[in-house]
Each structure stands twice: as C-alpha cells, then as structure tokens.
Amino acid sequence: MPETVFIKNLKDNVDKEVKIKGWMYNKRGSGKLFFLQLRDGTGIVQAIVSQNDVSSDTFQTADKLTMESSLELIGKVTKHPRHEDVFEIQTKEIKIIQIVNEEYPISKKEHGTSFLLDNRHLWLRSPTQRAIQVIRNTIINGIYEYLNKKGFIKIDSPILTPNACEGTTDLFELKYFEEGSAYLSQSGQLYLEAAIFSVGRCFDFGPVFRAEKSKTRRHLTEFWMMDAEAAFVEHDENLKIQEELIVSIVKKILKENKKELKTLERDIEPLKKIESPFLKKTHAEVVKELREMGSDIQENHDLGGDDETILTKKYDKPIFVEKYPAEVKAFYMKRDPENENLALCADLLAPEGYGEIIGGSEREDDYDKLSKRIKENKLPEGIFDWYLDLRKYGSVPHSGFGIGMERLTAWICGRKHIRETIPFPRTIKRLIP
Amino acid sequence: MPETVFIKNLKDNVDKEVKIKGWMYNKRGSGKLFFLQLRDGTGIVQAIVSQNDVSSDTFQTADKLTMESSLELIGKVTKHPRHEDVFEIQTKEIKIIQIVNEEYPISKKEHGTSFLLDNRHLWLRSPTQRAIQVIRNTIINGIYEYLNKKGFIKIDSPILTPNACEGTTDLFELKYFEEGSAYLSQSGQLYLEAAIFSVGRCFDFGPVFRAEKSKTRRHLTEFWMMDAEAAFVEHDENLKIQEELIVSIVKKILKENKKELKTLERDIEPLKKIESPFLKKTHAEVVKELREMGSDIQENHDLGGDDETILTKKYDKPIFVEKYPAEVKAFYMKRDPENENLALCADLLAPEGYGEIIGGSEREDDYDKLSKRIKENKLPEGIFDWYLDLRKYGSVPHSGFGIGMERLTAWICGRKHIRETIPFPRTIKRLIP
C-alpha cells in the first residue's frame, strides 16, 4: 500500500506511487478521460483518470464523484509537461469515503455576503478563504518568532475583568457569581504592564471584545489582539520595535505564502516596498496635510476612518502618526516632555488605504500624574489601585503597543472586509455559526 | 556610555563594562562593601559595590537602596571566582530610577495565599512565579513548534457562541444585542472540526470558561486550552501525536529551563523518564486496578480526581486511559467499532499524582448517528445544524484533543495549585487584580 502524502509534498515524490486523502474540488472531462481537482488542506492537485489505465470500477467512481465528495486516490506523481513546479497524479485507483448527494450549497457562482457568512463553516473551504487563514497563521508565527528573538515572554492576560482599559462604555457585561459584574477585556495591556516587572518584556495574543454598535467593514465585536509591553523601552525604541516586527512579518509572508497571495490575486509590489524606515509624522502635521487634501478634521480630533484612507493611499510606506492630542487618547499614556498637551504615542497606519494596524505609546510612570488622570477621567476609584502600585514599587519607563490581528491580516491579504480574516466572525447581528 | 545588556547575556560580556537596568531584589553587607542582588526579568546577578572603587555618591546610593527600587548600574562583568557559569558585576556607578520608600508588601517571610493573590500584580515578580511564567512560555512555544512541523495551522476559534460544546450547564451567559444570549466558549473543538475541511489539520490556543462552582486546586473559571484537530487521523494516530507532543515539550523544558526548574526546586528525575511509549490502559482495566487499590469507582463512572491521583502516583510514565463508557463522555465521540457502548477516546494522565492533562477522541463522522445522539442528549435543535453539515458534505474520519495549559504547566513545574500557573487567576471568589 503506497504511503499517504500531503499535496504540498508531492514535489518530493515524483515518479512514486502515493495515496492522497482529500476532497474533490472540481472535475472536467468525460468519455475516456477525467481531470479531477483534489484538495487536502495543504494544496490542490490535478489527478488524471484515463479509462485505459484504471479498472472499470474506478472509472465509474470517477464518473460519479460530485463536488466536495471525500476520497482516497492512489496514483503516480508526475511533473506537469509544461508548467514548472506543478505536479499531477496519474490515477490508478479511487476509493470513495463519502459521496455528496445533495448539491453543495456553495457553487462557483457568486453568492451574497449574508449567505456566505451563514455558511461560514463551509465557505472556509474555498481557496480564497483557506489562503487567508494560512496567511493569518504565518503572521501569527512571524509575531512569535520576532518577539521570542527580542526576549518577549508570552503572558496570557485575563479576559474576565472588573474594569475597562479605555473606559467602561461598549463593554460586554456578565454576572460573576457573588462578585457583581465582570466585563470582557478590551485589551490586556494593563496586565502586561504588571508582568514586565517580572519578566522584563512580554506579550499576549488573545481575543478582545467590543460591544460597539458599529457596522463598518473595520469592526467586529470579537477580534484578536497582540499586545506587547517592555520595561526600559521609551517612545522612539517602541516605534523601532514595531517597524522591525512589521517588516519581518511582510518578508516572511512574501517568502512562505507565494501561492496563497496568488490565490488571493494580491498585488505583491506594494508589499515588496515595506522596508525600514517607515514614514513618521506628528498628528499636527497630518491634520494640516489632511485639511489641504480637503478633510474637515479638527486639530484636537482623532483621525477618522476616511482620513486614514486618504492619507495612506498617498504613500507607499506605513506611516507612524505620533503625538496625538492627549485628550483624544487613553489616560495611561505618558505626555510629551516638550508639550504637556500631547501624548507620547503613535498609531501605525498601513498603506493602500488600510489605515490603523497598531496603536501604542509610552506609559505614564509617575504615580502622582497617573493618579490625577484617573480622577480626571472619572474612572471608578479603587479598581486601579493595583495598577497604581506599579508606579509605587520600582517604577520604570516603559512602552507598548497593540496589533489588531484582523486589520493586519486584511492589509497583507489585500481584503476589504476584516470579517473574512477571522475564522468565525462575530458582528452585532451574527453569532452563528 | 556602556551598552545596556540583559543579565541572561552577561556570559558574552566578561571583562566588559556594561549597564544593567533593573530592580534591587536583595542586599547584604555594610561598612565598606555591599552585595546587591539585581534582577531585570531575564535573570538575577550579584553586583559588588566596594567603597574603594566608587564615588561617595554611588556608595551612599547603594546604602539607600531598598527592595524593588529601580536603578541603572554600570560595572565590569567578571566570572564568579568559584562557581561555573556564574557572573558578577564590579560596580562603578549607580543611578536610581525610583527609590521605594514604603515597605514592599511581599517580604521574604511567608504570606497567606489570599494575601498573595490579592497582590498578584506584585507576587508575579518573585523568582518562583517568574520561573513558572517562563516555563509556561516555553511550553507554548513547544506546542507551536511541534504542531507547525506536523502541518497544523492555527485557527482562532470564537469565544462568543450560541451553544455549548458539552451541554449548557456551567456557562457564563451574556446579553448579545438583539440576538438573545451568548455564552463564553468551553472549547473551540466544534469550530476546528469545520476548519479541518479547509486546512486539513489545525489547532487553537485561547481562553475558555467554566462557571462551575468547584473550588478544588484543579479548577479555575477562566483557563487556557490548546485544541488540535486533524482530518484522516484515527484513534491510534491521535494518541501517537499527543505522545510525541508531550515528549517534545518536556525535552524542550529540560534543555531550555534548567535555571527555572532549579528555582522551583523541581525534581527533574521524573521528567527525564518521559519517553515513548506511554502506558495505555482501557477504562475497564483502570477501574479494576483502582478497585484493587481500594477505590469505590463504579464500572460506568468517569475517573474522579482522587482516582487519577492514586493511579498516576503508581507509575512513572503518563497513562492513556482509553475507551470510557460512552455515557460519561460527550455526544460527539465516535463509538468503538468493537463495542458500541464505549467511546473511541482517551484521557492522558500525567504521573506524580497530577492526573488529566489531555482529553481527546475520534469524532463521530456519520450523519445519522450524530443526529441521533444530539436528539438523545436533548441538545437544542437547529443550533447544531452547521455541525451536522460537516457530516453531509464530504465527511472524513477525524480526531482531536485538548490540552489544559494550566494543568500541564502545574505538572511540569511540580506545583500543586494550578492558580499559580496562570498570570491572573480567576476563581469563583476572585476577579481582581
């Protein structure tokens, strides 16, 4: 019995007889010859079934095969007569695992988004959706690799929390035994700030939640964040770490996911331009530039989604927008020593109209200043006592940032809607499947 | 200005002048000589401050330093005169970042658990707690490395779900806009089963939740699970993957975390015995063995915590307990073809009294059988339609398993309570910090 081989490993098995286990994706031909497209999760291969080379049982089986039917196929691996790096199977035998009798709901024709999302458990099988998940996986591995190399330790921050990182609006609330309400975390940052005093540098990677009623293509109620935090790292070094991380991820994708980028019809020229140094502009500079481009953005306002779009379409490199007005940013950000009204922060905007993929800042490390800001922001008293303790017992300068996994994946994959980048998207109207 | 160096890298800087940024962990000496223990998150080093070698300012600074004060220290790296692989700093200059004036709450004396958990944000700094997190990080990396090598793709399964994997009891419930209730996931398994039809093999790693009122040392309300799922993998191969994974993790820990294991006073001899093959016993065999050892376990019962303890103290290898009575296991498990009353499942029990660290099974792949079980278990109708679809469109044999990250970490670290193995534990009485 020949060995079972993954389709991605066929190149190492030329002229050998192998077994493929997978699903039928497509079929052409009739009469004396069938061309089956098989997929097994690692790739797609064409298997040629010639009436002259197989038993009549196997030929009839090939005839019967319907889309998404599961099967085992035995045959010899050959090089494609013309295309470099393409392999085929000369079929000897086919064994059906399950024949699909009902018509598979997702055909080649165009379906509406709502239908596809209702059938997300099946839609995931399509080559584009598979490619997005494979690229997402490479991004995750790229983050781990870079952060490990730089001495960051994974610290899994909690989801059930009594407080909110950036205020208490838009939180999912639940009853927590006799302790009153718990809220689902919007960010693990505050917890990572505690952990840097233990391990120096750390990161988390997990789901976060926003009960926002936004329905834009950039919003999900549940999404994945990677937060990183480092002791003794100040604003400029914080940006340098982010820049190196993004450059290393894009290089890894270009190297490891050529096929998936092609499946997605992603133009890779813009990705090839992602090199150090990124652009760096202050919020004030960006406001001026945007107003010249026709935006009505005010000097003391955050950038809107449309502002990010027009700005990032103008340049072919990611842009750090730094030093936002402190009033539009979170209470824990350190102020610019040169201007108390500005936060020592930066958002990283991805090019091609994608906008924010990272938000970060140096953190306020002075007990009195932080305590005053908590009061000014009318945050619940007592609940941040532990967070203030970090400024009491050996406070140090420190900085961090958070990457929105779906926004980063959408940009790298060149997809418009972030709902395609997470396996099972959750929006205000969608909890199933 | 000398370069800032992590303590873990001092070995590469012998005879060089370096800068260390960190916290004072301990101090001995007086008069003309101080021995400072400094920690920076990557290790601990002794810095010697001799009155003859430093300015009077620096010597007075050393005198003033209190526990957990943050500082920068410049000095020359030397080898310890007697101990191999130990390095010291001959101090030239000290700059205080923040002197701790209040007494640090966690002193060297014994504290009660409740006090330590109230101060978890500070307790994390202690060498034992740091060591546990560093080992947890190595375990996480070990899981990623092994699964990547075996072709598993990370698929982030959702937390907000309309249904429960193993019934609807003990779930955290929350209001989800106009869609009714959502529940926090207990396992991503069902979603991974959908994803294998896209990527073949996949895994998730994220928080899961149980609103159980259990107060044992083995329970948390929020904990981390790694679920893996693979198409075309049947029961025996499923166990082989788990065995290889555990062996590779333990080898990695023994190689990379010698210092941390020593800090924890972990006896590493039992870990060195973790080699293939593991023991494999059926549930029926284990019940017989336990009854001979004095347990009152019944033939059709699950193993209790005490049963797992006495059984796993008897052997020095992990034990697969397979083929439990189907009635005590989840509805989605495939039945043993040789005995319809048994599930084609196995729990992996860690030695030294630790008990279950993995639960897994082959999954039912037949539409009619699965549909019948959903009805028998009185699970809500309709909600599993998408899950049943997976048995309608190209069903394949498949298996998977879930690792409880905290139980695995507790065993490897040799800790009794799993609450120490997660950065910020959540129990029925604890939501802060």
Side-chain angles (χ1 to χ4, degrees):
Chain A
M1 184 64 81
E3 210 187 338
T4 301
V5 165
F6 288 136
I7 290 172
K8 70 171 176 185
N9 296 331
L10 286 179
K11 60 180 182 299
D12 306 323
N13 289 274
V14 175
D15 292 334
K16 281 188 205 152
E17 197 168 287
V18 300
K19 184 194 276 190
I20 304 285
K21 296 177 177 177
W23 298 269
M24 201 195 77
Y25 175 62
N26 211 351
K27 185 168 72 176
R28 288 185 301 119
S30 65
K32 299 184 168 184
L33 203 60
F34 287 113
F35 298 94
L36 312 178
Q37 302 283 328
L38 302 184
R39 55 175 202 84
D40 73 348
T42 75
I44 292 187
V45 69
Q46 175 160 279
I48 297 152
V49 191
S50 165
Q51 196 172 20
N52 296 331
D53 299 342
V54 300
S55 69
S56 63
D57 264 11
T58 285
F59 198 73
Q60 279 166 31
T61 300
D63 191 25
K64 271 194 305 189
L65 275 174
T66 50
M67 188 172 173
E68 288 303 308
S69 290
S70 47
L71 67 150
E72 293 181 11
L73 184 143
I74 292 171
K76 202 171 96 172
V77 183
T78 55
K79 283 190 182 177
H80 190 283
R82 289 175 308 278
H83 301 302
E84 194 69 24
D85 257 347
V86 177
F87 304 91
E88 299 181 313
I89 311 267
Q90 308 301 325
T91 307
K92 277 191 67 178
E93 201 185 326
I94 300 175
K95 198 183 119 196
I96 288 176
I97 302 175
Q98 189 194 41
I99 194 100
V100 176
N101 290 313
E102 261 179 70
E103 199 189 347
Y104 185 63
I106 302 180
S107 57
K108 295 275 177 312
K109 70 169 193 231
E110 286 286 315
H111 295 284
T113 304
S114 177
F115 176 84
L116 290 171
L117 288 171
D118 286 343
N119 288 285
R120 183 61 172 169
H121 57 295
L122 303 176
W123 187 27
L124 276 176
R125 302 183 186 187
S126 79
T128 52
Q129 298 303 311
R130 176 193 168 273
I132 293 170
Q133 290 308 315
V134 169
I135 288 175
R136 181 183 167 110
N137 179 61
T138 308
I139 294 173
I140 295 169
N141 285 327
I143 290 174
Y144 273 75
E145 276 167 25
Y146 177 81
L147 291 177
N148 275 333
K149 202 175 67 184
K150 293 287 172 176
F152 288 76
I153 298 285
K154 185 154 194 264
I155 291 286
D156 294 312
S157 55
I159 305 301
L160 296 170
T161 55
N163 55 323
C165 185
E166 311 192 18
T168 49
T169 50
D170 296 333
L171 289 182
F172 285 110
E173 184 177 352
L174 52 91
K175 189 180 174 314
Y176 196 78
F177 305 106
E178 310 301 318
E179 305 295 302
S181 286
Y183 301 91
L184 300 188
S185 179
Q186 286 192 323
S187 161
Q189 177 202 317
L190 306 194
Y191 299 95
L192 294 188
E193 285 187 65
I196 59 167
F197 292 84
S198 168
V199 297
R201 296 173 165 211
C202 58
F203 72 108
D204 66 14
F205 178 56
V208 292
F209 303 86
R210 288 200 189 158
E212 247 178 317
K213 290 204 170 148
S214 300
K215 282 182 69 179
T216 82
R217 63 186 171 87
R218 288 183 183 172
H219 287 88
L220 294 167
T221 57
E222 173 181 333
F223 53 101
W224 280 65
M225 284 275 283
M226 194 290 302
D227 297 292
E229 197 74 27
F232 307 108
V233 165
E234 301 180 33
H235 179 64
D236 287 333
E237 190 180 354
N238 193 29
L239 302 199
K240 190 164 159 278
I241 291 170
Q242 294 168 46
E243 185 172 298
E244 280 184 12
L245 173 58
I246 295 297
V247 169
S248 71
I249 290 170
V250 173
K251 281 198 191 310
K252 188 176 168 78
I253 296 289
L254 286 172
K255 189 175 161 211
E256 296 180 15
N257 292 125
K258 284 191 190 75
K259 281 191 181 168
E260 286 76 19
L261 291 166
K262 204 174 162 193
T263 299
L264 295 170
E265 298 173 6
R266 174 64 162 116
D267 177 6
I268 60 170
E269 293 310 317
L271 295 179
K272 286 184 181 165
K273 291 177 186 155
I274 307 306
E275 291 281 358
S276 294
F278 291 175
L279 299 174
K280 199 155 98 178
K281 296 164 180 282
T282 65
H283 176 268
E285 288 165 354
V286 163
V287 166
K288 188 157 169 276
E289 189 171 341
L290 282 169
R291 291 180 65 92
E292 284 165 10
M293 292 165 80
S295 167
D296 59 358
I297 185 172
Q298 301 297 306
E299 277 171 18
N300 57 349
H301 279 194
D302 205 345
L303 269 59
D306 290 343
D307 294 320
E308 292 185 5
T309 303
I310 60 168
L311 185 71
T312 60
K313 279 190 170 166
K314 191 174 158 185
Y315 300 100
D316 59 6
K317 285 215 177 183
I319 308 165
F320 282 114
V321 181
E322 56 172 3
K323 302 189 178 175
Y324 281 65
E327 60 186 298
V328 305
K329 288 290 182 186
F331 73 94
Y332 50 71
M333 291 187 181
K334 193 180 175 87
R335 301 295 172 91
D336 183 359
E338 288 165 21
N339 182 343
E340 184 65 14
N341 296 319
L342 301 180
L344 219 46
C345 69
D347 286 350
L348 181 62
L349 312 185
E352 301 175 77
Y354 279 91
E356 186 184 342
I357 51 172
I358 303 187
S361 78
E362 188 165 343
R363 320 305 188 184
E364 183 52 71
D365 51 34
D366 181 83
Y367 184 94
D368 293 333
K369 286 182 187 169
L370 187 64
S371 177
K372 186 167 145 258
R373 302 241 172 85
I374 288 173
K375 285 195 189 83
E376 280 169 4
N377 280 270
K378 298 191 176 60
L379 296 171
E381 270 196 65
I383 221 152
F384 290 104
D385 283 356
W386 69 267
Y387 185 62
L388 282 164
D389 270 358
L390 310 177
R391 280 71 180 171
K392 201 190 270 181
Y393 303 111
S395 191
V396 297
H398 64 288
S399 302
F401 59 92
I403 300 181
M405 182 55 43
E406 285 73 24
R407 292 184 180 190
L408 175 60
T409 306
W411 164 50
I412 290 178
C413 290
R415 307 305 279 189
K416 194 173 166 195
H417 285 278
I418 65 167
R419 62 183 174 223
E420 285 185 65
T421 62
I422 191 164
F424 293 90
R426 298 298 184 238
T427 60
I428 63 170
K429 293 218 170 268
R430 182 165 298 282
L431 191 56
I432 301 176
Chain B
M1 184 63 80
E3 209 187 340
T4 301
V5 165
F6 288 136
I7 291 172
K8 70 173 175 184
N9 296 331
L10 288 178
K11 60 180 181 301
D12 306 323
N13 290 275
V14 175
D15 293 333
K16 283 189 202 146
E17 197 167 286
V18 299
K19 184 195 275 191
I20 303 285
K21 296 177 177 177
W23 297 270
M24 201 194 78
Y25 175 62
N26 211 350
K27 184 167 73 176
R28 288 185 300 118
S30 65
K32 298 184 166 183
L33 203 60
F34 286 112
F35 298 94
L36 311 179
Q37 302 283 329
L38 302 185
R39 55 176 201 84
D40 73 348
T42 75
I44 291 186
V45 68
Q46 175 159 280
I48 297 153
V49 191
S50 166
Q51 196 171 21
N52 296 332
D53 298 341
V54 299
S55 69
S56 64
D57 263 11
T58 286
F59 199 74
Q60 278 166 30
T61 301
D63 190 25
K64 273 196 302 192
L65 276 174
T66 50
M67 189 172 172
E68 288 304 308
S69 290
S70 46
L71 67 148
E72 293 182 11
L73 184 143
I74 291 171
K76 201 171 96 172
V77 183
T78 55
K79 281 189 182 178
H80 190 283
R82 287 175 312 279
H83 300 303
E84 193 70 23
D85 258 348
V86 177
F87 304 91
E88 299 181 314
I89 312 267
Q90 309 300 326
T91 307
K92 278 190 68 176
E93 200 183 324
I94 300 174
K95 195 182 123 199
I96 287 176
I97 301 175
Q98 188 194 42
I99 194 101
V100 176
N101 290 313
E102 260 180 68
E103 197 186 349
Y104 185 64
I106 301 180
S107 56
K108 293 278 177 312
K109 72 169 190 233
E110 286 285 316
H111 294 284
T113 304
S114 177
F115 176 83
L116 290 171
L117 288 172
D118 285 344
N119 288 284
R120 183 61 173 170
H121 58 295
L122 302 175
W123 186 29
L124 276 176
R125 303 182 186 188
S126 79
T128 52
Q129 298 303 311
R130 176 193 168 274
I132 293 169
Q133 290 307 315
V134 170
I135 288 175
R136 182 184 167 108
N137 180 61
T138 309
I139 294 172
I140 295 169
N141 285 327
I143 290 174
Y144 273 74
E145 277 168 25
Y146 176 81
L147 291 178
N148 276 331
K149 203 175 66 185
K150 293 288 172 176
F152 288 76
I153 299 284
K154 186 155 193 261
I155 292 286
D156 294 313
S157 55
I159 305 302
L160 296 170
T161 55
N163 56 321
C165 185
E166 311 194 17
T168 51
T169 50
D170 295 334
L171 289 182
F172 285 109
E173 183 177 351
L174 52 90
K175 191 182 172 315
Y176 195 77
F177 306 105
E178 310 300 318
E179 303 296 301
S181 287
Y183 301 91
L184 300 187
S185 179
Q186 286 190 324
S187 161
Q189 177 202 317
L190 305 194
Y191 298 95
L192 295 189
E193 285 187 64
I196 59 167
F197 292 83
S198 168
V199 296
R201 296 175 167 210
C202 58
F203 72 108
D204 66 13
F205 179 57
V208 291
F209 303 87
R210 290 202 186 157
E212 246 178 319
K213 290 201 170 152
S214 299
K215 284 183 66 178
T216 83
R217 64 184 171 86
R218 287 182 182 172
H219 286 88
L220 294 167
T221 57
E222 173 181 334
F223 53 102
W224 281 64
M225 283 276 283
M226 194 291 300
D227 296 293
E229 197 75 26
F232 307 108
V233 165
E234 300 179 34
H235 179 63
D236 287 333
E237 190 180 355
N238 192 29
L239 302 199
K240 191 166 158 275
I241 291 170
Q242 295 169 47
E243 185 173 297
E244 281 184 11
L245 172 59
I246 295 297
V247 168
S248 71
I249 291 170
V250 172
K251 282 198 192 308
K252 188 175 168 78
I253 296 290
L254 286 171
K255 190 177 160 207
E256 296 181 15
N257 292 124
K258 285 191 188 75
K259 280 191 180 168
E260 285 75 20
L261 290 166
K262 203 174 164 191
T263 299
L264 295 170
E265 297 173 6
R266 174 65 162 115
D267 178 5
I268 60 170
E269 293 310 316
L271 294 179
K272 287 184 181 167
K273 291 178 187 155
I274 306 306
E275 291 281 359
S276 294
F278 292 174
L279 299 174
K280 197 154 98 177
K281 296 165 181 279
T282 65
H283 177 267
E285 287 166 353
V286 163
V287 166
K288 189 159 170 272
E289 188 172 342
L290 282 168
R291 291 182 64 92
E292 283 166 10
M293 291 165 80
S295 167
D296 59 358
I297 185 173
Q298 301 297 303
E299 276 170 20
N300 57 347
H301 279 194
D302 205 347
L303 268 61
D306 289 343
D307 293 321
E308 291 185 6
T309 304
I310 61 167
L311 185 70
T312 60
K313 280 193 167 161
K314 191 174 159 187
Y315 300 99
D316 58 7
K317 287 217 175 181
I319 308 166
F320 282 114
V321 182
E322 56 173 2
K323 302 189 178 176
Y324 282 65
E327 60 185 301
V328 304
K329 288 290 180 184
F331 73 94
Y332 50 70
M333 292 186 180
K334 194 181 174 84
R335 301 295 170 90
D336 184 357
E338 288 166 20
N339 182 344
E340 185 63 13
N341 296 320
L342 301 180
L344 219 45
C345 70
D347 287 351
L348 180 62
L349 311 184
E352 302 175 74
Y354 279 91
E356 186 184 343
I357 50 172
I358 303 186
S361 77
E362 188 166 341
R363 319 305 188 184
E364 183 53 71
D365 51 35
D366 181 82
Y367 184 94
D368 293 333
K369 285 182 186 169
L370 187 63
S371 176
K372 186 168 144 255
R373 301 240 175 84
I374 288 173
K375 286 197 188 81
E376 280 169 5
N377 280 269
K378 298 190 175 65
L379 296 171
E381 269 194 65
I383 221 153
F384 290 105
D385 282 357
W386 70 267
Y387 185 62
L388 281 164
D389 271 358
L390 310 177
R391 279 70 181 172
K392 201 189 273 181
Y393 303 111
S395 190
V396 296
H398 64 287
S399 303
F401 58 91
I403 299 182
M405 182 56 43
E406 286 73 25
R407 291 183 181 191
L408 175 59
T409 306
W411 164 50
I412 289 178
C413 290
R415 308 306 278 189
K416 196 175 166 193
H417 285 277
I418 65 166
R419 64 184 173 224
E420 284 184 65
T421 62
I422 191 164
F424 293 90
R426 298 298 184 238
T427 60
I428 63 170
K429 292 215 172 272
R430 181 165 300 279
L431 191 56
I432 302 176

